[in-house]
mmCIF file of all heavy atoms in Angstrom:
data_model
loop_
_atom_site.group_PDB
_atom_site.id
_atom_site.type_symbol
_atom_site.label_atom_id
_atom_site.label_comp_id
_atom_site.label_asym_id
_atom_site.label_seq_id
_atom_site.Cartn_x
_atom_site.Cartn_y
_atom_site.Cartn_z
ATOM 1 N N THR A 7 97.360 85.332 160.514
ATOM 2 C CA THR A 7 96.921 86.353 159.564
ATOM 3 C C THR A 7 96.010 87.358 160.252
ATOM 4 O O THR A 7 95.004 86.973 160.876
ATOM 5 C CB THR A 7 96.165 85.710 158.386
ATOM 6 O OG1 THR A 7 97.032 84.786 157.729
ATOM 7 C CG2 THR A 7 95.698 86.762 157.390
ATOM 8 N N ALA A 8 96.350 88.636 160.159
ATOM 9 C CA ALA A 8 95.464 89.682 160.658
ATOM 10 C C ALA A 8 94.243 89.771 159.747
ATOM 11 O O ALA A 8 94.362 89.780 158.522
ATOM 12 C CB ALA A 8 96.191 91.017 160.700
ATOM 13 N N THR A 9 93.068 89.830 160.334
ATOM 14 C CA THR A 9 91.828 89.806 159.555
ATOM 15 C C THR A 9 91.009 91.083 159.657
ATOM 16 O O THR A 9 90.158 91.333 158.806
ATOM 17 C CB THR A 9 90.946 88.632 160.005
ATOM 18 O OG1 THR A 9 90.675 88.751 161.420
ATOM 19 C CG2 THR A 9 91.629 87.298 159.731
ATOM 20 N N HIS A 10 91.251 91.889 160.682
ATOM 21 C CA HIS A 10 90.404 93.067 160.881
ATOM 22 C C HIS A 10 91.147 94.079 161.742
ATOM 23 O O HIS A 10 91.888 93.702 162.660
ATOM 24 C CB HIS A 10 89.094 92.655 161.567
ATOM 25 C CG HIS A 10 88.111 93.770 161.717
ATOM 26 N ND1 HIS A 10 87.471 94.362 160.648
ATOM 27 C CD2 HIS A 10 87.664 94.419 162.832
ATOM 28 C CE1 HIS A 10 86.663 95.311 161.087
ATOM 29 N NE2 HIS A 10 86.766 95.363 162.407
ATOM 30 N N LEU A 11 90.948 95.351 161.425
ATOM 31 C CA LEU A 11 91.488 96.442 162.231
ATOM 32 C C LEU A 11 90.338 97.246 162.819
ATOM 33 O O LEU A 11 89.365 97.555 162.112
ATOM 34 C CB LEU A 11 92.347 97.393 161.383
ATOM 35 C CG LEU A 11 93.560 96.844 160.653
ATOM 36 C CD1 LEU A 11 94.243 97.971 159.880
ATOM 37 C CD2 LEU A 11 94.529 96.212 161.630
ATOM 38 N N GLU A 12 90.447 97.578 164.084
ATOM 39 C CA GLU A 12 89.528 98.525 164.708
ATOM 40 C C GLU A 12 90.354 99.729 165.128
ATOM 41 O O GLU A 12 90.984 99.727 166.191
ATOM 42 C CB GLU A 12 88.820 97.881 165.902
ATOM 43 C CG GLU A 12 87.874 96.751 165.499
ATOM 44 C CD GLU A 12 87.096 96.193 166.671
ATOM 45 O OE1 GLU A 12 87.225 96.745 167.792
ATOM 46 O OE2 GLU A 12 86.367 95.209 166.477
ATOM 47 N N LEU A 13 90.391 100.724 164.239
ATOM 48 C CA LEU A 13 91.294 101.851 164.447
ATOM 49 C C LEU A 13 90.922 102.658 165.685
ATOM 50 O O LEU A 13 91.799 103.127 166.409
ATOM 51 C CB LEU A 13 91.296 102.746 163.204
ATOM 52 C CG LEU A 13 91.759 102.067 161.911
ATOM 53 C CD1 LEU A 13 91.683 103.047 160.745
ATOM 54 C CD2 LEU A 13 93.182 101.541 162.060
ATOM 55 N N GLY A 14 89.621 102.817 165.925
ATOM 56 C CA GLY A 14 89.207 103.592 167.094
ATOM 57 C C GLY A 14 89.615 102.931 168.399
ATOM 58 O O GLY A 14 90.047 103.601 169.347
ATOM 59 N N ALA A 15 89.501 101.622 168.439
ATOM 60 C CA ALA A 15 89.863 100.875 169.648
ATOM 61 C C ALA A 15 91.328 100.480 169.677
ATOM 62 O O ALA A 15 91.795 99.901 170.661
ATOM 63 C CB ALA A 15 88.998 99.616 169.744
ATOM 64 N N ARG A 16 92.047 100.762 168.572
ATOM 65 C CA ARG A 16 93.465 100.397 168.447
ATOM 66 C C ARG A 16 93.668 98.896 168.640
ATOM 67 O O ARG A 16 94.490 98.447 169.440
ATOM 68 C CB ARG A 16 94.326 101.190 169.432
ATOM 69 C CG ARG A 16 94.346 102.681 169.133
ATOM 70 C CD ARG A 16 95.143 103.456 170.150
ATOM 71 N NE ARG A 16 95.198 104.863 169.817
ATOM 72 C CZ ARG A 16 96.247 105.508 169.323
ATOM 73 N NH1 ARG A 16 97.380 104.850 169.132
ATOM 74 N NH2 ARG A 16 96.209 106.790 169.035
ATOM 75 N N LEU A 17 92.940 98.125 167.852
ATOM 76 C CA LEU A 17 93.003 96.681 167.945
ATOM 77 C C LEU A 17 93.246 96.052 166.580
ATOM 78 O O LEU A 17 92.725 96.525 165.566
ATOM 79 C CB LEU A 17 91.693 96.105 168.503
ATOM 80 C CG LEU A 17 91.384 96.311 169.981
ATOM 81 C CD1 LEU A 17 90.002 95.754 170.292
ATOM 82 C CD2 LEU A 17 92.436 95.632 170.857
ATOM 83 N N VAL A 18 94.040 94.987 166.580
ATOM 84 C CA VAL A 18 94.203 94.115 165.423
ATOM 85 C C VAL A 18 93.619 92.759 165.789
ATOM 86 O O VAL A 18 93.981 92.186 166.826
ATOM 87 C CB VAL A 18 95.687 93.958 165.031
ATOM 88 C CG1 VAL A 18 95.820 93.019 163.829
ATOM 89 C CG2 VAL A 18 96.323 95.305 164.726
ATOM 90 N N LEU A 19 92.725 92.244 164.957
ATOM 91 C CA LEU A 19 92.146 90.926 165.176
ATOM 92 C C LEU A 19 92.760 89.948 164.194
ATOM 93 O O LEU A 19 93.013 90.307 163.029
ATOM 94 C CB LEU A 19 90.627 90.959 164.993
ATOM 95 C CG LEU A 19 89.789 91.600 166.115
ATOM 96 C CD1 LEU A 19 90.053 93.097 166.209
ATOM 97 C CD2 LEU A 19 88.299 91.360 165.884
ATOM 98 N N ASP A 20 92.996 88.701 164.626
ATOM 99 C CA ASP A 20 93.622 87.732 163.732
ATOM 100 C C ASP A 20 92.734 86.517 163.497
ATOM 101 O O ASP A 20 91.640 86.396 164.073
ATOM 102 C CB ASP A 20 95.008 87.319 164.248
ATOM 103 C CG ASP A 20 94.968 86.480 165.521
ATOM 104 O OD1 ASP A 20 93.991 85.738 165.735
ATOM 105 O OD2 ASP A 20 95.929 86.548 166.305
ATOM 106 N N ASP A 21 93.192 85.616 162.620
ATOM 107 C CA ASP A 21 92.384 84.473 162.215
ATOM 108 C C ASP A 21 92.317 83.385 163.271
ATOM 109 O O ASP A 21 91.635 82.370 163.069
ATOM 110 C CB ASP A 21 92.892 83.903 160.888
ATOM 111 C CG ASP A 21 94.338 83.432 160.949
ATOM 112 O OD1 ASP A 21 95.022 83.688 161.972
ATOM 113 O OD2 ASP A 21 94.799 82.823 159.963
ATOM 114 N N ARG A 22 92.988 83.565 164.387
ATOM 115 C CA ARG A 22 92.877 82.620 165.496
ATOM 116 C C ARG A 22 91.917 83.115 166.572
ATOM 117 O O ARG A 22 91.767 82.489 167.616
ATOM 118 C CB ARG A 22 94.254 82.361 166.107
ATOM 119 C CG ARG A 22 95.237 81.734 165.129
ATOM 120 C CD ARG A 22 96.558 81.411 165.785
ATOM 121 N NE ARG A 22 97.483 80.800 164.839
ATOM 122 C CZ ARG A 22 98.703 80.372 165.155
ATOM 123 N NH1 ARG A 22 99.140 80.502 166.407
ATOM 124 N NH2 ARG A 22 99.488 79.826 164.248
ATOM 125 N N GLY A 23 91.325 84.276 166.317
ATOM 126 C CA GLY A 23 90.378 84.839 167.269
ATOM 127 C C GLY A 23 90.995 85.713 168.332
ATOM 128 O O GLY A 23 90.301 86.150 169.266
ATOM 129 N N ASP A 24 92.279 86.000 168.214
ATOM 130 C CA ASP A 24 92.952 86.832 169.213
ATOM 131 C C ASP A 24 92.873 88.305 168.842
ATOM 132 O O ASP A 24 92.789 88.675 167.667
ATOM 133 C CB ASP A 24 94.418 86.426 169.350
ATOM 134 C CG ASP A 24 94.583 85.035 169.933
ATOM 135 O OD1 ASP A 24 93.715 84.622 170.719
ATOM 136 O OD2 ASP A 24 95.575 84.362 169.583
ATOM 137 N N GLU A 25 92.905 89.159 169.867
ATOM 138 C CA GLU A 25 92.934 90.605 169.693
ATOM 139 C C GLU A 25 94.273 91.136 170.186
ATOM 140 O O GLU A 25 94.786 90.686 171.218
ATOM 141 C CB GLU A 25 91.801 91.264 170.480
ATOM 142 C CG GLU A 25 90.403 90.875 170.015
ATOM 143 C CD GLU A 25 89.335 91.592 170.814
ATOM 144 O OE1 GLU A 25 89.665 92.233 171.850
ATOM 145 O OE2 GLU A 25 88.153 91.520 170.418
ATOM 146 N N HIS A 26 94.816 92.101 169.447
ATOM 147 C CA HIS A 26 96.125 92.655 169.785
ATOM 148 C C HIS A 26 96.016 94.181 169.854
ATOM 149 O O HIS A 26 95.774 94.839 168.837
ATOM 150 C CB HIS A 26 97.166 92.251 168.738
ATOM 151 C CG HIS A 26 97.171 90.780 168.446
ATOM 152 N ND1 HIS A 26 97.743 89.858 169.299
ATOM 153 C CD2 HIS A 26 96.634 90.070 167.420
ATOM 154 C CE1 HIS A 26 97.577 88.647 168.798
ATOM 155 N NE2 HIS A 26 96.917 88.749 167.660
ATOM 156 N N ARG A 27 96.189 94.706 171.048
ATOM 157 C CA ARG A 27 96.147 96.150 171.234
ATOM 158 C C ARG A 27 97.468 96.770 170.781
ATOM 159 O O ARG A 27 98.531 96.166 170.935
ATOM 160 C CB ARG A 27 95.915 96.478 172.709
ATOM 161 C CG ARG A 27 95.774 97.967 173.021
ATOM 162 C CD ARG A 27 95.878 98.209 174.522
ATOM 163 N NE ARG A 27 97.118 97.668 175.066
ATOM 164 C CZ ARG A 27 98.306 98.255 174.947
ATOM 165 N NH1 ARG A 27 98.441 99.404 174.267
ATOM 166 N NH2 ARG A 27 99.378 97.691 175.478
ATOM 167 N N TYR A 28 97.404 97.967 170.232
ATOM 168 C CA TYR A 28 98.627 98.660 169.821
ATOM 169 C C TYR A 28 98.583 100.121 170.264
ATOM 170 O O TYR A 28 97.508 100.720 170.393
ATOM 171 C CB TYR A 28 98.819 98.584 168.307
ATOM 172 C CG TYR A 28 97.784 99.336 167.488
ATOM 173 C CD1 TYR A 28 97.908 100.707 167.243
ATOM 174 C CD2 TYR A 28 96.673 98.679 166.953
ATOM 175 C CE1 TYR A 28 96.968 101.398 166.499
ATOM 176 C CE2 TYR A 28 95.727 99.356 166.199
ATOM 177 C CZ TYR A 28 95.873 100.724 165.983
ATOM 178 O OH TYR A 28 94.938 101.404 165.256
ATOM 179 N N ASP A 29 99.772 100.668 170.487
ATOM 180 C CA ASP A 29 99.925 102.115 170.617
ATOM 181 C C ASP A 29 100.320 102.714 169.272
ATOM 182 O O ASP A 29 99.894 103.811 168.924
ATOM 183 C CB ASP A 29 100.979 102.446 171.673
ATOM 184 C CG ASP A 29 100.563 101.983 173.056
ATOM 185 O OD1 ASP A 29 99.408 102.273 173.450
ATOM 186 O OD2 ASP A 29 101.369 101.320 173.728
ATOM 187 N N ARG A 30 101.181 101.987 168.529
ATOM 188 C CA ARG A 30 101.519 102.335 167.145
ATOM 189 C C ARG A 30 101.386 101.069 166.309
ATOM 190 O O ARG A 30 101.692 99.959 166.778
ATOM 191 C CB ARG A 30 102.949 102.876 167.028
ATOM 192 C CG ARG A 30 103.251 104.048 167.932
ATOM 193 C CD ARG A 30 103.028 105.404 167.264
ATOM 194 N NE ARG A 30 102.835 106.436 168.288
ATOM 195 C CZ ARG A 30 103.801 106.953 169.031
ATOM 196 N NH1 ARG A 30 105.049 106.559 168.840
ATOM 197 N NH2 ARG A 30 103.536 107.854 169.951
ATOM 198 N N LEU A 31 100.963 101.260 165.072
ATOM 199 C CA LEU A 31 100.714 100.134 164.187
ATOM 200 C C LEU A 31 101.420 100.355 162.863
ATOM 201 O O LEU A 31 101.328 101.440 162.272
ATOM 202 C CB LEU A 31 99.207 99.991 163.944
ATOM 203 C CG LEU A 31 98.757 98.954 162.911
ATOM 204 C CD1 LEU A 31 99.092 97.542 163.375
ATOM 205 C CD2 LEU A 31 97.247 99.084 162.658
ATOM 206 N N LEU A 32 102.134 99.344 162.395
ATOM 207 C CA LEU A 32 102.754 99.371 161.079
ATOM 208 C C LEU A 32 102.111 98.303 160.211
ATOM 209 O O LEU A 32 102.102 97.119 160.569
ATOM 210 C CB LEU A 32 104.260 99.119 161.178
ATOM 211 C CG LEU A 32 104.994 98.940 159.836
ATOM 212 C CD1 LEU A 32 104.891 100.198 158.980
ATOM 213 C CD2 LEU A 32 106.445 98.552 160.059
ATOM 214 N N LEU A 33 101.611 98.715 159.063
ATOM 215 C CA LEU A 33 101.071 97.790 158.072
ATOM 216 C C LEU A 33 102.130 97.553 157.011
ATOM 217 O O LEU A 33 102.583 98.491 156.346
ATOM 218 C CB LEU A 33 99.804 98.362 157.436
ATOM 219 C CG LEU A 33 98.654 98.667 158.396
ATOM 220 C CD1 LEU A 33 97.497 99.306 157.652
ATOM 221 C CD2 LEU A 33 98.208 97.403 159.128
ATOM 222 N N ALA A 34 102.531 96.306 156.870
ATOM 223 C CA ALA A 34 103.558 95.925 155.897
ATOM 224 C C ALA A 34 103.149 94.580 155.292
ATOM 225 O O ALA A 34 103.875 93.596 155.370
ATOM 226 C CB ALA A 34 104.927 95.844 156.570
ATOM 227 N N THR A 35 101.977 94.572 154.683
ATOM 228 C CA THR A 35 101.342 93.328 154.266
ATOM 229 C C THR A 35 101.785 92.843 152.890
ATOM 230 O O THR A 35 101.378 91.755 152.458
ATOM 231 C CB THR A 35 99.809 93.477 154.296
ATOM 232 O OG1 THR A 35 99.437 94.734 153.710
ATOM 233 C CG2 THR A 35 99.303 93.442 155.720
ATOM 234 N N GLY A 36 102.617 93.613 152.170
ATOM 235 C CA GLY A 36 103.219 93.128 150.945
ATOM 236 C C GLY A 36 102.257 92.998 149.786
ATOM 237 O O GLY A 36 101.221 93.673 149.720
ATOM 238 N N SER A 37 102.594 92.108 148.842
ATOM 239 C CA SER A 37 101.836 91.940 147.607
ATOM 240 C C SER A 37 101.556 90.474 147.350
ATOM 241 O O SER A 37 102.165 89.592 147.950
ATOM 242 C CB SER A 37 102.622 92.506 146.418
ATOM 243 O OG SER A 37 102.837 93.891 146.545
ATOM 244 N N ARG A 38 100.654 90.235 146.422
ATOM 245 C CA ARG A 38 100.378 88.888 145.928
ATOM 246 C C ARG A 38 100.471 88.905 144.405
ATOM 247 O O ARG A 38 100.239 89.948 143.780
ATOM 248 C CB ARG A 38 98.989 88.413 146.347
ATOM 249 C CG ARG A 38 97.856 89.244 145.779
ATOM 250 C CD ARG A 38 96.502 88.563 145.988
ATOM 251 N NE ARG A 38 96.240 88.322 147.394
ATOM 252 C CZ ARG A 38 95.709 89.222 148.228
ATOM 253 N NH1 ARG A 38 95.418 90.435 147.778
ATOM 254 N NH2 ARG A 38 95.488 88.937 149.482
ATOM 255 N N PRO A 39 100.804 87.779 143.787
ATOM 256 C CA PRO A 39 100.861 87.752 142.322
ATOM 257 C C PRO A 39 99.483 88.003 141.714
ATOM 258 O O PRO A 39 98.466 87.522 142.208
ATOM 259 C CB PRO A 39 101.336 86.322 142.018
ATOM 260 C CG PRO A 39 101.980 85.843 143.273
ATOM 261 C CD PRO A 39 101.229 86.505 144.387
ATOM 262 N N ARG A 40 99.469 88.760 140.646
ATOM 263 C CA ARG A 40 98.219 88.985 139.915
ATOM 264 C C ARG A 40 97.883 87.767 139.067
ATOM 265 O O ARG A 40 98.780 87.056 138.603
ATOM 266 C CB ARG A 40 98.335 90.218 139.011
ATOM 267 C CG ARG A 40 98.509 91.533 139.756
ATOM 268 C CD ARG A 40 98.489 92.711 138.782
ATOM 269 N NE ARG A 40 98.800 93.961 139.451
ATOM 270 C CZ ARG A 40 97.901 94.722 140.073
ATOM 271 N NH1 ARG A 40 96.617 94.329 140.088
ATOM 272 N NH2 ARG A 40 98.240 95.847 140.661
ATOM 273 N N SER A 41 96.611 87.563 138.842
ATOM 274 C CA SER A 41 96.151 86.540 137.902
ATOM 275 C C SER A 41 95.604 87.234 136.664
ATOM 276 O O SER A 41 95.409 88.453 136.646
ATOM 277 C CB SER A 41 95.075 85.670 138.547
ATOM 278 O OG SER A 41 93.961 86.464 138.948
ATOM 279 N N LEU A 42 95.373 86.469 135.625
ATOM 280 C CA LEU A 42 94.786 87.016 134.406
ATOM 281 C C LEU A 42 93.284 86.763 134.419
ATOM 282 O O LEU A 42 92.842 85.617 134.603
ATOM 283 C CB LEU A 42 95.403 86.363 133.173
ATOM 284 C CG LEU A 42 96.773 86.877 132.744
ATOM 285 C CD1 LEU A 42 97.281 86.073 131.541
ATOM 286 C CD2 LEU A 42 96.722 88.354 132.384
#
């Protein structure tokens, strides 16, 4: 799971502690069911 974006540094951080550099980034994180 991606947990944080650093747009200036072009980095995606994930829940395993890894950093992922990008030249282009696509966000396609979808939806979750709503609760009442």
